[in-house]
Amino acid sequence: MPTAPHIALDSAAPSAIDGRHIRALTFQSVRMEYLRRVLGEPGVAAAGSRALVVGSGRGLLARGLARLGFETVAADPSPAATALAQDTDGGAEVTYLTTPAEELALPDVSFDLVYCADTLEITERPDAVLMEAARVLRPGGAFVYDTVNRTPVSRLLYLGAFQTVPGTWIMPRGRYAAHRLRRPVELAGLLDRAGLSAKDVSAFKPRDIRALVRATRGRRRGTLTDDQLPELVDMVLTPGSRPVVTYLGYAVRRA
């Protein structure tokens, strides 16, 4: 009988399916598109400033910021992810460190931009994550994030398809839970309490949900590689629409 695929986060083993890395690859284009929009806003950090990526995984987003001209630090709670990021840096000159989002081992007021990825939908302490982000940001600095809304559709995908359904299972069971998926209005309140003024929320989604299902099933079967998935899934920003599953946003640290 064929061997079941091995679900393992932050693993480069040939037999491993790393749902976290799959997510980073498929989100990369829309994350960078949104970042460029935010950076075009008056007073937001410009190239040459210091940027921090929290929940950086293998460093894909951090290297994207470095290519925009930022002096970039990539922070992740996983030593395995940090090692993979260092191994694949490719001369981007990003600084990688292992530290939890809830207790960043970084000095106060040391960044002009913080991007929080792969964190708000898994942490039990979003208040601590946001307080730490605000602490390391300079006044007027931008906090950018993406996360998962709490809706019937997001529960179906994140709690069902990605964690329990054999044909589309790419994440360890328990990584996502309903109470850790947060609605935009809930997150806005948490941002405000951390001293961060919310400025925008923008939904994003696969251009065709059927393509997401086909891509995930293909990766499970081994007929598709990780690098083929972004083009197949084709994430797109949908500003002005209600976030059915995933959304991005940004806020500014108050003085």
Side-chain angles (χ1 to χ4, degrees):
M1 294 180 62
T3 302
H6 176 54
I7 306 298
L9 301 187
D10 307 324
S11 173
S15 62
I17 292 180
D18 181 359
R20 188 179 183 210
H21 185 53
I22 290 170
R23 197 168 181 267
L25 285 167
T26 56
F27 283 17
Q28 177 72 357
S29 63
V30 78
R31 284 171 167 171
M32 292 303 298
E33 180 182 352
Y34 188 73
L35 269 169
R36 290 187 183 95
R37 291 189 184 191
V38 172
L39 293 173
E41 293 294 318
V44 174
S49 304
R50 298 195 76 224
L52 168 68
V53 178
V54 177
S56 58
R58 302 191 193 190
L60 191 63
L61 181 58
R63 290 190 288 275
L65 276 166
R67 284 191 290 271
L68 291 180
F70 284 86
E71 179 187 341
T72 308
V73 174
D76 197 90
S78 164
T82 302
L84 286 167
Q86 291 169 330
D87 289 345
T88 55
D89 181 71
E93 298 185 355
V94 172
T95 299
Y96 302 97
L97 71 154
T98 302
T99 184
E102 297 84 355
E103 298 178 40
L104 294 171
L106 291 162
D108 295 355
V109 195
S110 51
F111 293 95
D112 303 284
L113 183 147
V114 173
Y115 194 112
C116 188
D118 197 30
T119 299
L120 291 171
E121 61 274 13
I122 62 172
T123 184
E124 292 283 358
R125 299 169 57 203
D127 51 343
V129 171
L130 297 176
M131 289 294 289
E132 280 292 273
R135 178 182 66 78
V136 302
L137 267 174
R138 67 166 177 80
F143 174 75
V144 187
Y145 63 90
D146 60 76
T147 193
V148 183
N149 199 0
R150 188 173 67 254
T151 68
V153 178
S154 70
R155 289 179 190 228
L156 180 66
L157 282 174
Y158 275 80
L159 309 187
F162 294 156
Q163 291 190 141
T164 62
V165 177
T168 53
W169 176 32
I170 58 171
M171 289 288 188
R173 288 182 173 88
R175 180 166 179 83
Y176 302 109
H179 70 279
R180 296 197 295 266
L181 309 183
R182 296 174 175 96
R183 299 179 178 127
V185 66
E186 296 168 346
L187 194 51
L190 292 169
L191 288 165
D192 184 64
R193 289 196 289 276
L196 298 162
S197 298
K199 298 296 183 182
D200 180 65
V201 168
S202 181
F204 68 103
K205 63 180 183 178
R207 192 176 298 276
D208 185 339
I209 189 64
R210 294 169 297 182
L212 173 63
V213 174
R214 286 194 297 268
T216 308
R217 288 176 63 86
R219 183 63 187 88
R220 281 285 300 178
R221 290 193 301 264
T223 58
L224 295 173
T225 66
D226 289 348
D227 291 338
Q228 290 176 296
L229 301 183
E231 183 177 358
L232 294 171
V233 174
D234 192 19
M235 288 288 185
V236 292
L237 283 172
T238 56
S241 65
R242 186 177 74 89
V244 176
V245 179
T246 46
Y247 62 101
L248 298 113
Y250 89 95
V252 172
R253 185 193 187 281
R254 295 194 291 271

